[in-house]
């Protein structure tokens, strides 16, 4: 990801393990990008991994029997919901 066009950057200093820096140096050379770009990508991944989202991933809850449904129970439940949504009272869902 090229961050230079996306936002202004802020300079910071960090301490890094020399072995990690050597790996980054080799990867940058192999990929044809700067070491700084690899470090920025790593910072972005760390930021996203630690982000607190405003809403939960699953905001809806569903009532159920408290056990895993069988394949036929799931199929029947989905078919019934489809019938209710389309307004048809009989027949099977395709």
């Amino acid at each position: 990801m090229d961050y230079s066009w996306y936002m202004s950057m802020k300079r910071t200093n960090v301490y890094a393990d020399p072995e990690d820096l050597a790996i980054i140096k080799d990867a940058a050379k192999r990929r044809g990008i700067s070491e700084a770009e690899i470090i920025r990508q790593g910072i972005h991944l760390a930021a996203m991994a630690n982000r607190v989202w405003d809403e939960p991933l699953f905001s809806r809850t569903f009532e159920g029997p408290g056990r895993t449904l069988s394949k036929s129970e799931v199929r029947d439940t989905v078919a019934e919901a489809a019938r209710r949504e389309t307004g048809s009272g009989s027949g099977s869902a395709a």
Side-chain angles (χ1 to χ4, degrees):
M1 181 177 282
D2 181 16
Y3 294 96
S4 59
W5 62 269
Y6 183 69
M7 64 183 141
S8 64
M9 303 230 192
K10 185 172 181 180
R11 183 183 176 104
T12 188
N13 295 318
V14 297
Y15 291 97
D17 185 278
E19 291 177 12
D20 290 339
L21 293 175
I23 293 169
I24 290 170
K25 185 179 199 81
D26 290 343
K29 186 175 184 180
R30 185 177 60 251
R31 293 174 59 194
I33 61 175
S34 70
E35 294 170 44
E37 181 60 24
I38 292 176
I39 293 168
R40 280 191 290 270
Q41 291 172 357
I43 290 171
H44 181 69
L45 289 172
M48 291 297 99
N50 290 284
R51 180 177 176 179
V52 176
W53 300 90
D54 294 337
E55 296 181 12
L57 182 58
F58 297 104
S59 60
R60 293 177 60 190
T61 58
F62 301 93
E63 290 186 26
R67 63 178 173 74
T68 302
L69 298 176
S70 69
K71 184 177 180 179
S72 62
E73 288 174 308
V74 171
R75 185 175 38 245
D76 293 345
T77 301
V78 171
E80 178 60 32
R83 279 192 293 271
R84 280 194 310 265
E85 195 169 291
T86 60
S88 64
S90 62
S92 62

